[in-house]
Amino acid sequence: MNKKKLIISIIYLVSAFLFLKTDLFFFKFLNSDPSTLLFFSILPLTIWIANSKTAILVAIFFMILTAFFDYFKFEKTSENLAIQSFFFFAYAVFISIKELIKEK
């Protein structure tokens, strides 16, 4: 992994968690939607994931977590994890398209 990507990801993560602790009126929409919070907290993973195979593995991991939380009747958490698994599946498709274009 590139050192520059790691530093940017750590800075983003720290700033995202500090941002969530603030009480700004303009950003109140982030406090109302847990899916949005989960998306912004997992966004640095997209910087670390460089190939489509890793993105697929992360998406499968989220699908397993979705089934686990749905089995134990945590509906809201399973819905949020399903959204994130869809995000990583879509991200993997875009990365694989980018890899195919680079090969040609």
Side-chain angles (χ1 to χ4, degrees):
M1 181 186 327
N2 192 345
K3 185 178 179 181
K4 184 178 176 182
K5 286 183 179 181
L6 181 65
I7 291 172
I8 290 172
S9 299
I10 291 172
I11 289 172
Y12 174 82
L13 220 91
V14 169
S15 63
F17 286 128
L18 288 175
F19 168 75
L20 292 175
K21 294 293 182 183
T22 61
D23 231 4
L24 299 174
F25 177 72
F26 179 71
F27 299 109
K28 284 293 184 184
F29 71 95
L30 287 176
N31 293 333
S32 64
D33 188 14
S35 300
T36 308
L37 288 176
L38 188 61
F39 172 76
F40 281 117
S41 62
I42 294 179
L43 196 60
L45 275 178
T46 59
I47 297 172
W48 292 340
I49 297 174
N51 57 10
S52 60
K53 293 176 186 174
T54 311
I56 290 291
L57 288 176
V58 172
I60 291 171
F61 174 71
F62 277 112
M63 288 300 286
I64 292 169
L65 284 178
T66 301
F68 177 75
F69 281 106
D70 192 41
Y71 178 76
F72 289 110
K73 306 292 188 233
F74 293 107
E75 286 90 17
K76 192 70 169 173
T77 308
S78 64
E79 289 174 4
N80 291 335
L81 288 171
I83 291 168
Q84 294 306 315
S85 64
F86 174 75
F87 167 72
F88 279 108
F89 275 127
Y91 184 67
V93 168
F94 288 124
I95 289 178
S96 62
I97 290 172
K98 181 180 167 185
E99 290 172 354
L100 287 173
I101 291 173
K102 277 187 179 180
E103 287 179 5
K104 290 182 180 181

